[in-house]
Amino acid sequence: MEKKKWLLILVLTFALSMLLAACGGGEADPDSGGDSGEGDSADSGETQFLSVLTGGTEGTYYPLGGTFAQIINDNLDNAEANAQSTGASVENMKTMRDGDAELAFTQTDIAAYAAEGSVMFEGDQIDNIQAIGTLYPETIQIVTTADSGIETVADLEGKVVSVGAPGSGTNASATDILEVYGLSMDDIEARDLDFGDSTSGIQDGTIDAAFITSGTPTGAVESLAATTDVNIVRFDEEKIQELIDAHPYYAEDTIKEGTYDLEEDVKTVAVQAMLVTSADLSEDLVYDVTKAIFENTDQISHPKGEFISADTALDGVGIDLHPGAKKYFDEKGIEQ
């Protein structure tokens, strides 16, 4: 009987030791996935997936975004980028706010409104976006006819003027520009029209002028110029500087002679198309992305590629640079 009791004790002891080993009581195998006390350092070698928010498939942001994604994939071993079609600037800022993307195209003014929590982002400040750099100008064109008598912004007073939809970037720019000339929306007869309806209104005489924010030449204005002598309202030099001082996301721009059959260059201003990133991305990764894009601009086949350069990438940025982008431009000796 005593012998059976000791045998039972030995069996129970062996079973208990096996149970403790199965529960991790012994030394973990470092390759088994158990806790080796060294954390998740292996994750640092994993591929970082980068969503690039662009715009509609018929616009400029989408094909450029596809090219940028390819440049990133060709030059970074630890990143895989993919361009996504979106509703463009405002939608992109909201998607970035929600943490659902890593890179995005936007206009400099929209990015500034988002960072400030103003205009269409009133009460909805977005504080997790930082700039990589500006890309090309989106020119603010105040379009009218050659026989309208409207030569400068001051001449818009009392006129019927299309200023874009309320809450749009075009509308906000119109407000800023009128303000530096001592005018407001109350000093004009404002109409909330898109580009096509604006140029149609100019052609049939129902409006006198229109604010149009777009890369030049703009198709709607070209169509108008095919049947009507077009004039682009010029900006006074001192007013351009006053506007830039008040709102750093603007930059001076020139519409070249011959565009829309213009007989001379016209001084105006532009917001910039820009690339922004999540403030949460690492400095090293954003440095690598910035360097890849701005040192491979020869790979950009889109016509806007001729404007994309590290030398002008800090013009009109208007929001904080990501530290990784700043590191790249500092190395190049380029300052804001």
Side-chain angles (χ1 to χ4, degrees):
M1 188 70 179
E2 191 71 24
K3 186 176 180 181
K4 289 183 179 180
K5 184 186 295 184
W6 278 108
L7 182 60
L8 179 61
I9 291 171
L10 286 172
V11 171
L12 290 174
T13 300
F14 178 75
L16 180 60
S17 67
M18 293 298 292
L19 179 63
L20 288 173
C23 291
E27 183 176 343
D29 180 350
D31 295 323
S32 69
D35 183 5
S36 64
E38 296 180 359
D40 295 323
S41 59
D43 290 347
S44 61
E46 292 182 355
T47 298
Q48 171 74 58
F49 292 96
L50 303 174
S51 294
V52 185
L53 305 177
T54 62
T57 56
E58 301 301 316
T60 300
Y61 288 174
Y62 183 72
L64 273 183
T67 300
F68 283 8
Q70 189 61 55
I71 288 173
I72 291 168
N73 294 340
D74 288 344
N75 289 276
L76 274 68
D77 293 332
N78 62 335
E80 183 176 326
N82 181 56
Q84 298 181 22
S85 176
T86 71
S89 296
V90 174
E91 179 183 316
N92 290 352
M93 295 302 90
K94 293 179 178 179
T95 303
M96 293 289 288
R97 174 200 61 200
D98 296 338
D100 293 332
E102 291 72 36
L103 300 167
F105 283 73
T106 186
Q107 289 180 188
T108 48
D109 54 338
I110 302 300
Y113 300 147
E116 295 166 356
S118 61
V119 192
M120 69 284 291
F121 298 99
E122 188 74 41
D124 186 23
Q125 183 179 18
I126 299 175
D127 60 5
N128 65 334
I129 55 169
Q130 293 178 326
I132 284 181
T134 57
L135 304 171
Y136 61 87
E138 297 197 28
T139 307
I140 296 173
Q141 307 164 71
I142 305 178
V143 183
T144 186
T145 61
D147 60 3
S148 67
I150 301 172
E151 297 294 335
T152 74
V153 177
D155 296 330
L156 294 176
E157 185 172 6
K159 300 296 194 295
V160 181
V161 183
S162 173
V163 295
S168 68
T170 298
N171 188 280
S173 294
T175 300
D176 291 342
I177 290 163
L178 290 171
E179 187 176 73
V180 298
Y181 279 85
L183 302 174
S184 72
M185 291 292 184
D186 294 334
D187 296 308
I188 63 174
E189 292 186 39
R191 299 289 184 271
D192 307 326
L193 305 175
D194 64 23
F195 295 169
D197 289 340
S198 294
T199 53
S200 295
I202 291 172
Q203 186 169 29
D204 63 27
T206 57
I207 66 171
D208 299 308
F211 282 80
I212 292 178
T213 303
S214 178
T216 58
T218 302
V221 184
E222 284 188 304
S223 296
L224 176 65
T227 59
T228 306
D229 289 335
V230 165
N231 181 47
I232 306 295
V233 177
R234 70 176 184 274
F235 283 65
D236 301 298
E237 288 282 359
E238 66 274 14
K239 295 299 184 183
I240 291 176
Q241 192 57 52
E242 185 178 339
L243 181 67
I244 293 171
D245 288 344
H247 308 286
Y249 44 80
Y250 291 106
E252 184 172 334
D253 197 14
T254 300
I255 300 175
K256 295 294 186 181
E257 172 189 353
T259 307
Y260 314 131
D261 296 323
L262 296 173
E263 295 182 356
E264 59 183 9
D265 291 352
V266 175
K267 286 282 188 182
T268 182
V269 294
V271 292
Q272 303 279 331
M274 73 185 303
L275 189 66
V276 300
T277 186
S278 168
D280 296 331
L281 287 190
S282 73
E283 179 177 325
D284 288 345
L285 179 58
V286 175
Y287 170 86
D288 290 342
V289 167
T290 307
K291 183 175 183 178
I293 289 171
F294 286 103
E295 296 196 359
N296 290 280
T297 55
D298 60 327
Q299 301 300 310
I300 301 171
S301 59
H302 192 281
K304 290 299 182 188
E306 67 177 285
F307 296 99
I308 300 173
S309 167
D311 293 335
T312 57
L314 301 184
D315 293 350
V317 165
I319 64 171
D320 290 340
L321 274 177
H322 190 286
K326 185 177 187 303
K327 178 181 176 182
Y328 171 74
F329 292 116
D330 283 349
E331 286 181 357
K332 299 281 287 185
I334 299 169
E335 299 179 357
Q336 283 181 281

